[in-house]
Amino acid sequence: MSILKTRIYFCGGAGTNLGSLYGASFEGACFLDSSDANLGDKQITEDRTFLIPNTDGAGGNQAYMMPFARKYADDMLDMFEPGEMNILVCSADGGTGPAIATTLVGKLIEQDCTTVVVMVGGTDTPRRITNTLNTFKNLELRAAKFKRTVATAYVNNTAG
């Protein structure tokens, strides 16, 4: 087990954007995505970043990204070992972030790691509503599978 107290997994574009505001220099911060497009002008070093190979974003399509997230989940956790407390930050309504986060939640609770999910989501389009509902369903499935509560904080992004 890691001696790291807190690991924060910033997943997908929303996670990367929020994480860059928090501070990429925090020892426990890591950024997991499927495209470098979200890194842009952010001060995030390569050693804090895992980009899923052979992808270039999900375009909001969770079903497309889920097999890639599953395939590389162990690699992500090998590169960024869980801490005593693990926080996953993502959108609920996107493609890459929720696919990575829900996959890692399953892996983390299976390892008996303390895990919390922080999500932001939108309800301004049918696709965002569907993605948000699917993200909650995926988290619920993992909770049921491992008979563990998945602590989740959700913020509806009504103000943009």
Side-chain angles (χ1 to χ4, degrees), residues 39-110:
L39 299 174
D41 60 346
K42 297 169 182 67
Q43 303 297 315
I44 302 171
T45 59
E46 262 187 54
D47 64 322
R48 298 226 183 257
T49 306
F50 183 98
L51 295 177
I52 295 176
N54 305 315
T55 61
D56 190 26
N61 188 338
Q62 293 175 358
Y64 166 77
M65 189 51 59
M66 193 58 80
F68 293 103
R70 287 185 189 123
K71 180 177 180 179
Y72 290 99
D74 289 331
D75 294 340
M76 291 181 229
L77 292 178
D78 286 345
M79 185 169 180
F80 301 110
E81 186 178 13
E84 290 180 28
M85 167 61 77
N86 300 281
I87 304 167
L88 295 100
V89 179
C90 66
S91 68
D93 60 8
T96 298
I100 291 173
T102 57
T103 301
L104 291 185
V105 163
K107 296 277 186 183
L108 291 167
I109 62 176
E110 185 176 30

Coordinates of all heavy atoms in Angstrom, one line a residue, residues 39-110:
L39 N -5.0 19.2 -22.3 CA -3.8 19.7 -21.6 C -3.5 21.1 -22.0 O -3.1 21.9 -21.2 CB -2.7 18.7 -21.8 CG -2.9 17.3 -21.3 CD1 -1.8 16.4 -21.6 CD2 -3.2 17.3 -19.8
G40 N -3.6 21.4 -23.3 CA -3.4 22.7 -23.9 C -2.4 23.5 -23.1 O -1.2 23.2 -23.1
D41 N -2.8 24.6 -22.5 CA -2.0 25.6 -21.9 C -1.8 25.3 -20.4 O -1.2 26.1 -19.7 CB -2.6 27.0 -22.1 CG -4.0 27.1 -21.5 OD1 -4.6 26.1 -21.1 OD2 -4.4 28.3 -21.3
K42 N -2.2 24.2 -19.9 CA -2.1 23.9 -18.5 C -0.7 23.4 -18.2 O 0.0 22.8 -18.9 CB -3.2 22.8 -18.2 CG -4.6 23.3 -18.4 CD -5.6 22.2 -18.3 CE -7.0 22.8 -18.6 NZ -7.2 23.2 -20.0
Q43 N -0.3 23.7 -17.0 CA 1.0 23.4 -16.5 C 1.0 22.0 -15.8 O 1.2 21.9 -14.6 CB 1.5 24.4 -15.5 CG 1.5 25.8 -16.0 CD 2.5 26.0 -17.2 OE1 3.6 25.5 -17.1 NE2 2.0 26.6 -18.3
I44 N 0.8 21.0 -16.6 CA 0.7 19.6 -16.1 C 1.9 18.8 -16.7 O 2.0 18.8 -18.0 CB -0.6 18.9 -16.5 CG1 -1.8 19.7 -15.9 CG2 -0.7 17.5 -16.0 CD1 -3.2 19.3 -16.3
T45 N 2.7 18.3 -15.9 CA 3.9 17.6 -16.4 C 3.5 16.1 -16.9 O 2.5 15.6 -16.4 CB 5.0 17.5 -15.3 OG1 4.4 16.8 -14.2 CG2 5.4 18.9 -14.9
E46 N 4.4 15.6 -17.7 CA 4.1 14.3 -18.3 C 4.1 13.2 -17.2 O 3.3 12.2 -17.3 CB 5.3 13.9 -19.2 CG 4.9 14.1 -20.7 CD 6.0 13.6 -21.6 OE1 6.3 12.4 -21.5 OE2 6.4 14.4 -22.5
D47 N 4.9 13.4 -16.1 CA 4.9 12.3 -15.1 C 3.6 12.3 -14.2 O 3.5 11.4 -13.4 CB 6.1 12.5 -14.2 CG 6.1 13.8 -13.4 OD1 5.7 14.8 -14.0 OD2 6.6 13.8 -12.2
R48 N 2.8 13.3 -14.4 CA 1.5 13.3 -13.7 C 0.3 13.0 -14.7 O -0.8 13.1 -14.3 CB 1.2 14.7 -13.1 CG 2.3 15.0 -12.1 CD 1.6 15.6 -10.9 NE 2.6 16.0 -9.9 CZ 2.9 15.4 -8.9 NH1 2.3 14.2 -8.6 NH2 3.9 15.8 -8.1
T49 N 0.6 12.5 -15.9 CA -0.4 12.3 -16.9 C -0.3 10.9 -17.5 O 0.7 10.3 -17.7 CB -0.1 13.3 -18.1 OG1 -0.1 14.6 -17.6 CG2 -1.2 13.2 -19.1
F50 N -1.5 10.3 -17.7 CA -1.7 9.1 -18.4 C -2.7 9.3 -19.5 O -3.8 9.6 -19.2 CB -2.2 7.9 -17.5 CG -2.2 6.6 -18.2 CD1 -1.2 5.7 -18.0 CD2 -3.3 6.3 -18.9 CE1 -1.3 4.4 -18.7 CE2 -3.4 5.0 -19.6 CZ -2.4 4.1 -19.5
L51 N -2.2 9.1 -20.7 CA -3.1 9.2 -21.9 C -3.4 7.8 -22.4 O -2.4 7.1 -22.7 CB -2.5 10.1 -23.0 CG -2.4 11.6 -22.6 CD1 -1.7 12.3 -23.7 CD2 -3.7 12.2 -22.2
I52 N -4.6 7.4 -22.5 CA -5.0 6.1 -23.1 C -4.5 6.0 -24.5 O -4.8 6.9 -25.3 CB -6.5 5.9 -23.0 CG1 -6.9 5.8 -21.5 CG2 -6.9 4.6 -23.7 CD1 -8.4 5.7 -21.3
P53 N -3.7 5.0 -24.8 CA -3.1 4.9 -26.2 C -4.2 4.6 -27.2 O -5.2 4.1 -26.9 CB -2.2 3.7 -26.0 CG -1.9 3.5 -24.6 CD -3.1 4.0 -23.9
N54 N -3.9 5.0 -28.4 CA -4.7 4.7 -29.6 C -6.1 5.3 -29.5 O -7.0 4.7 -30.1 CB -4.7 3.2 -29.8 CG -3.4 2.6 -30.0 OD1 -2.5 3.2 -30.7 ND2 -3.1 1.5 -29.3
T55 N -6.3 6.4 -28.8 CA -7.5 7.1 -28.8 C -7.3 8.6 -28.9 O -6.2 9.0 -28.7 CB -8.3 6.9 -27.4 OG1 -7.5 7.4 -26.4 CG2 -8.6 5.4 -27.2
D56 N -8.3 9.3 -29.3 CA -8.1 10.8 -29.4 C -9.4 11.4 -29.0 O -10.1 12.1 -29.7 CB -7.8 11.2 -30.8 CG -7.4 12.7 -30.9 OD1 -6.9 13.2 -29.8 OD2 -7.5 13.3 -31.9
G57 N -9.8 11.1 -27.7 CA -11.0 11.7 -27.2 C -12.2 10.7 -27.4 O -12.1 9.8 -28.3
A58 N -13.3 11.0 -26.7 CA -14.5 10.1 -26.8 C -15.6 10.9 -27.4 O -16.6 10.3 -27.8 CB -14.9 9.6 -25.4
G59 N -15.5 12.2 -27.5 CA -16.6 13.0 -28.1 C -17.9 12.8 -27.3 O -19.0 12.8 -27.9
G60 N -17.8 12.6 -26.0 CA -19.0 12.4 -25.2 C -19.6 11.0 -25.3 O -20.7 10.7 -24.7
N61 N -18.9 10.1 -26.0 CA -19.4 8.7 -26.2 C -18.8 7.7 -25.1 O -17.7 7.2 -25.3 CB -19.1 8.2 -27.6 CG -19.8 6.9 -27.9 OD1 -20.2 6.1 -27.1 ND2 -20.0 6.7 -29.2
Q62 N -19.5 7.5 -24.1 CA -19.0 6.7 -23.0 C -18.9 5.2 -23.4 O -17.9 4.5 -23.1 CB -20.0 6.7 -21.8 CG -20.0 8.0 -21.1 CD -21.1 8.1 -20.0 OE1 -21.8 7.1 -19.7 NE2 -21.1 9.2 -19.3
A63 N -19.8 4.7 -24.3 CA -19.7 3.3 -24.7 C -18.5 3.1 -25.6 O -17.9 2.0 -25.5 CB -21.0 3.0 -25.5
Y64 N -18.1 4.1 -26.3 CA -16.9 4.0 -27.1 C -15.6 3.9 -26.2 O -14.8 3.1 -26.4 CB -16.7 5.2 -28.1 CG -15.3 5.3 -28.7 CD1 -15.0 4.5 -29.7 CD2 -14.4 6.2 -28.2 CE1 -13.7 4.6 -30.3 CE2 -13.2 6.3 -28.7 CZ -12.8 5.5 -29.7 OH -11.5 5.6 -30.2
M65 N -15.6 4.7 -25.2 CA -14.4 4.8 -24.4 C -14.3 3.7 -23.3 O -13.2 3.3 -22.9 CB -14.4 6.2 -23.7 CG -13.1 6.5 -22.9 SD -11.6 6.2 -23.9 CE -11.8 7.3 -25.3
M66 N -15.4 3.1 -22.9 CA -15.4 2.1 -21.8 C -14.4 0.9 -22.0 O -13.7 0.6 -21.1 CB -16.8 1.6 -21.5 CG -16.9 0.8 -20.2 SD -16.4 1.7 -18.8 CE -17.9 2.7 -18.5
P67 N -14.4 0.3 -23.2 CA -13.4 -0.8 -23.4 C -12.0 -0.3 -23.2 O -11.1 -1.1 -22.7 CB -13.7 -1.3 -24.8 CG -15.0 -0.7 -25.2 CD -15.2 0.5 -24.4
F68 N -11.6 0.9 -23.7 CA -10.3 1.4 -23.5 C -10.0 1.6 -22.0 O -8.9 1.3 -21.6 CB -10.1 2.7 -24.3 CG -10.2 2.5 -25.8 CD1 -11.3 2.9 -26.5 CD2 -9.1 2.0 -26.5 CE1 -11.4 2.7 -27.9 CE2 -9.2 1.8 -27.9 CZ -10.3 2.2 -28.6
A69 N -10.9 2.2 -21.3 CA -10.8 2.5 -19.9 C -10.5 1.1 -19.2 O -9.6 1.1 -18.3 CB -12.0 3.2 -19.3
R70 N -11.3 0.1 -19.5 CA -11.1 -1.2 -18.8 C -9.7 -1.8 -19.2 O -9.1 -2.3 -18.3 CB -12.2 -2.1 -19.3 CG -13.5 -1.9 -18.7 CD -14.5 -2.9 -19.1 NE -15.9 -2.6 -18.7 CZ -16.9 -2.5 -19.5 NH1 -16.8 -2.8 -20.8 NH2 -18.1 -2.1 -19.1
K71 N -9.3 -1.7 -20.4 CA -8.1 -2.2 -20.9 C -6.9 -1.6 -20.1 O -5.9 -2.3 -19.8 CB -7.9 -2.1 -22.4 CG -6.6 -2.7 -22.9 CD -6.6 -2.5 -24.4 CE -5.3 -3.1 -25.0 NZ -5.2 -3.1 -26.4
Y72 N -6.9 -0.3 -19.9 CA -5.8 0.4 -19.3 C -5.9 0.7 -17.8 O -5.0 1.4 -17.3 CB -5.5 1.6 -20.2 CG -4.9 1.3 -21.5 CD1 -5.8 1.2 -22.6 CD2 -3.6 0.9 -21.7 CE1 -5.3 0.9 -23.9 CE2 -3.1 0.5 -22.9 CZ -3.9 0.5 -24.0 OH -3.5 0.1 -25.2
A73 N -7.0 0.3 -17.2 CA -7.2 0.7 -15.8 C -6.0 0.2 -14.9 O -5.6 1.0 -14.1 CB -8.5 0.1 -15.3
D74 N -5.6 -1.0 -15.1 CA -4.5 -1.5 -14.2 C -3.2 -0.7 -14.5 O -2.5 -0.4 -13.6 CB -4.2 -3.0 -14.5 CG -5.4 -3.9 -13.9 OD1 -6.0 -3.5 -12.9 OD2 -5.6 -5.0 -14.5
D75 N -3.0 -0.3 -15.7 CA -1.8 0.5 -16.1 C -1.9 1.8 -15.4 O -0.9 2.4 -14.9 CB -1.7 0.7 -17.6 CG -1.4 -0.6 -18.3 OD1 -0.9 -1.6 -17.7 OD2 -1.6 -0.7 -19.5
M76 N -3.1 2.4 -15.3 CA -3.2 3.7 -14.7 C -3.0 3.6 -13.2 O -2.3 4.4 -12.6 CB -4.7 4.2 -14.9 CG -5.0 4.7 -16.3 SD -6.7 5.3 -16.4 CE -7.2 4.4 -17.9
L77 N -3.5 2.5 -12.6 CA -3.2 2.3 -11.1 C -1.8 1.9 -10.8 O -1.3 2.2 -9.7 CB -4.2 1.3 -10.6 CG -5.7 1.8 -10.6 CD1 -6.6 0.6 -10.0 CD2 -5.9 3.0 -9.7
D78 N -1.1 1.3 -11.8 CA 0.3 1.0 -11.6 C 1.1 2.3 -11.6 O 2.0 2.4 -10.8 CB 0.8 0.0 -12.6 CG 0.3 -1.4 -12.4 OD1 -0.2 -1.7 -11.3 OD2 0.4 -2.2 -13.4
M79 N 0.8 3.1 -12.5 CA 1.5 4.4 -12.7 C 1.2 5.3 -11.5 O 2.1 6.0 -11.0 CB 1.1 5.1 -14.0 CG 1.9 6.3 -14.3 SD 1.7 6.8 -16.0 CE 2.7 8.3 -16.0
F80 N -0.1 5.3 -11.1 CA -0.5 6.2 -10.0 C -1.1 5.4 -8.9 O -2.4 5.2 -8.9 CB -1.5 7.3 -10.5 CG -0.9 8.1 -11.6 CD1 -1.3 8.0 -12.9 CD2 0.1 9.0 -11.3 CE1 -0.8 8.8 -13.9 CE2 0.7 9.8 -12.3 CZ 0.2 9.7 -13.6
E81 N -0.3 4.9 -8.0 CA -0.7 4.0 -6.9 C -1.8 4.7 -6.0 O -1.6 5.9 -5.7 CB 0.5 3.6 -6.1 CG 0.3 2.6 -5.1 CD 1.5 2.2 -4.3 OE1 2.6 2.9 -4.5 OE2 1.5 1.3 -3.6
P82 N -2.8 4.0 -5.6 CA -3.8 4.5 -4.7 C -3.2 5.0 -3.4 O -2.2 4.5 -3.0 CB -4.8 3.4 -4.5 CG -4.6 2.4 -5.6 CD -3.1 2.6 -6.0
G83 N -3.8 6.0 -2.8 CA -3.4 6.5 -1.5 C -4.4 6.0 -0.5 O -5.2 5.1 -0.7
E84 N -4.2 6.5 0.8 CA -5.1 6.1 1.8 C -6.5 6.5 1.5 O -7.5 5.9 1.8 CB -4.6 6.6 3.2 CG -3.4 6.0 3.7 CD -2.9 6.5 5.0 OE1 -3.8 7.0 5.8 OE2 -1.7 6.5 5.3
M85 N -6.6 7.7 0.9 CA -7.9 8.3 0.5 C -7.8 8.6 -1.0 O -6.8 9.1 -1.5 CB -8.2 9.6 1.2 CG -9.3 10.4 0.6 SD -10.9 9.6 0.5 CE -11.4 9.8 2.2
N86 N -8.8 8.1 -1.8 CA -8.7 8.3 -3.3 C -9.9 9.0 -3.7 O -11.1 8.7 -3.4 CB -8.7 6.9 -3.9 CG -7.5 6.1 -3.5 OD1 -6.4 6.4 -4.0 ND2 -7.6 5.3 -2.5
I87 N -9.7 10.1 -4.4 CA -10.8 11.0 -4.9 C -10.7 11.0 -6.4 O -9.7 11.3 -7.0 CB -10.6 12.4 -4.4 CG1 -10.6 12.4 -2.8 CG2 -11.7 13.3 -4.9 CD1 -10.1 13.7 -2.2
L88 N -11.8 10.7 -7.1 CA -11.9 10.7 -8.5 C -12.8 11.9 -8.9 O -13.9 12.0 -8.4 CB -12.5 9.4 -9.0 CG -11.6 8.2 -8.8 CD1 -12.1 7.4 -7.6 CD2 -11.5 7.3 -10.0
V89 N -12.2 12.7 -9.8 CA -12.9 14.0 -10.2 C -13.2 13.8 -11.7 O -12.3 13.6 -12.5 CB -12.1 15.2 -9.9 CG1 -12.8 16.5 -10.4 CG2 -11.8 15.3 -8.4
C90 N -14.5 14.0 -12.1 CA -14.8 13.9 -13.5 C -16.1 14.6 -13.8 O -16.8 15.0 -12.9 CB -14.9 12.4 -13.9 SG -16.3 11.5 -13.1
S91 N -16.5 14.6 -15.1 CA -17.8 15.0 -15.4 C -18.7 13.7 -15.3 O -18.2 12.6 -15.4 CB -17.9 15.6 -16.8 OG -17.6 14.6 -17.8
A92 N -20.0 13.9 -15.1 CA -20.9 12.7 -15.2 C -21.4 12.6 -16.6 O -21.9 11.6 -17.0 CB -22.0 12.9 -14.2
D93 N -21.4 13.8 -17.4 CA -22.0 13.8 -18.7 C -21.1 13.7 -19.9 O -21.6 13.8 -21.0 CB -22.8 15.1 -18.8 CG -22.0 16.4 -18.6 OD1 -20.7 16.3 -18.6 OD2 -22.5 17.5 -18.5
G94 N -19.8 13.5 -19.7 CA -18.9 13.4 -20.8 C -18.7 11.9 -21.2 O -19.5 11.0 -20.9
G95 N -17.6 11.7 -21.9 CA -17.3 10.4 -22.4 C -16.1 9.7 -21.7 O -16.2 8.7 -21.0
T96 N -14.9 10.3 -21.8 CA -13.7 9.7 -21.2 C -13.7 9.7 -19.7 O -13.5 8.7 -19.1 CB -12.5 10.5 -21.8 OG1 -12.4 10.3 -23.2 CG2 -11.2 9.9 -21.1
G97 N -14.0 10.9 -19.1 CA -13.9 11.0 -17.7 C -14.8 10.0 -16.9 O -14.3 9.3 -16.0
P98 N -16.0 9.9 -17.2 CA -16.9 8.9 -16.5 C -16.5 7.5 -16.8 O -16.6 6.6 -15.9 CB -18.3 9.2 -17.0 CG -18.2 10.5 -17.7 CD -16.8 10.8 -18.1
A99 N -16.0 7.2 -18.0 CA -15.6 5.8 -18.3 C -14.4 5.5 -17.5 O -14.3 4.4 -16.9 CB -15.3 5.7 -19.8
I100 N -13.4 6.4 -17.4 CA -12.2 6.1 -16.6 C -12.6 6.0 -15.1 O -12.2 5.1 -14.4 CB -11.1 7.2 -16.8 CG1 -10.5 7.0 -18.2 CG2 -10.0 7.0 -15.7 CD1 -9.6 8.2 -18.6
A101 N -13.3 7.0 -14.6 CA -13.7 7.1 -13.2 C -14.5 5.9 -12.7 O -14.1 5.3 -11.7 CB -14.4 8.4 -12.9
T102 N -15.5 5.5 -13.5 CA -16.3 4.3 -13.0 C -15.5 3.0 -13.1 O -15.7 2.2 -12.2 CB -17.6 4.2 -13.8 OG1 -17.3 4.1 -15.2 CG2 -18.5 5.4 -13.6
T103 N -14.6 2.9 -14.0 CA -13.8 1.7 -14.1 C -12.8 1.7 -12.9 O -12.7 0.6 -12.3 CB -13.0 1.7 -15.4 OG1 -13.9 1.7 -16.5 CG2 -12.1 0.5 -15.5
L104 N -12.2 2.8 -12.6 CA -11.2 2.8 -11.5 C -11.9 2.7 -10.2 O -11.4 2.0 -9.3 CB -10.4 4.1 -11.5 CG -9.4 4.3 -12.6 CD1 -8.6 5.6 -12.5 CD2 -8.5 3.1 -12.8
V105 N -13.2 3.2 -10.0 CA -13.9 3.0 -8.8 C -14.0 1.5 -8.5 O -13.8 1.0 -7.4 CB -15.3 3.6 -8.9 CG1 -16.2 3.1 -7.8 CG2 -15.2 5.1 -8.7
G106 N -14.4 0.7 -9.5 CA -14.5 -0.8 -9.3 C -13.2 -1.4 -8.9 O -13.1 -2.2 -7.9
K107 N -12.1 -1.0 -9.5 CA -10.8 -1.5 -9.2 C -10.4 -1.1 -7.7 O -9.8 -1.9 -7.0 CB -9.7 -1.0 -10.1 CG -9.9 -1.5 -11.6 CD -9.3 -2.8 -11.7 CE -9.3 -3.3 -13.2 NZ -8.8 -4.6 -13.3
L108 N -10.7 0.2 -7.4 CA -10.3 0.7 -6.1 C -11.1 0.0 -4.9 O -10.5 -0.4 -3.9 CB -10.4 2.2 -6.0 CG -9.4 2.9 -6.9 CD1 -9.8 4.4 -7.0 CD2 -8.0 2.8 -6.3
I109 N -12.4 -0.1 -5.1 CA -13.2 -0.7 -4.0 C -12.9 -2.2 -3.9 O -13.0 -2.8 -2.9 CB -14.7 -0.3 -4.1 CG1 -15.3 -0.8 -5.3 CG2 -14.9 1.1 -3.9 CD1 -16.8 -0.6 -5.4
E110 N -12.6 -2.8 -5.1 CA -12.2 -4.2 -5.0 C -10.9 -4.4 -4.2 O -10.8 -5.4 -3.5 CB -12.0 -4.7 -6.5 CG -11.7 -6.2 -6.6 CD -11.6 -6.6 -8.0 OE1 -11.1 -5.8 -8.9 OE2 -11.9 -7.8 -8.3

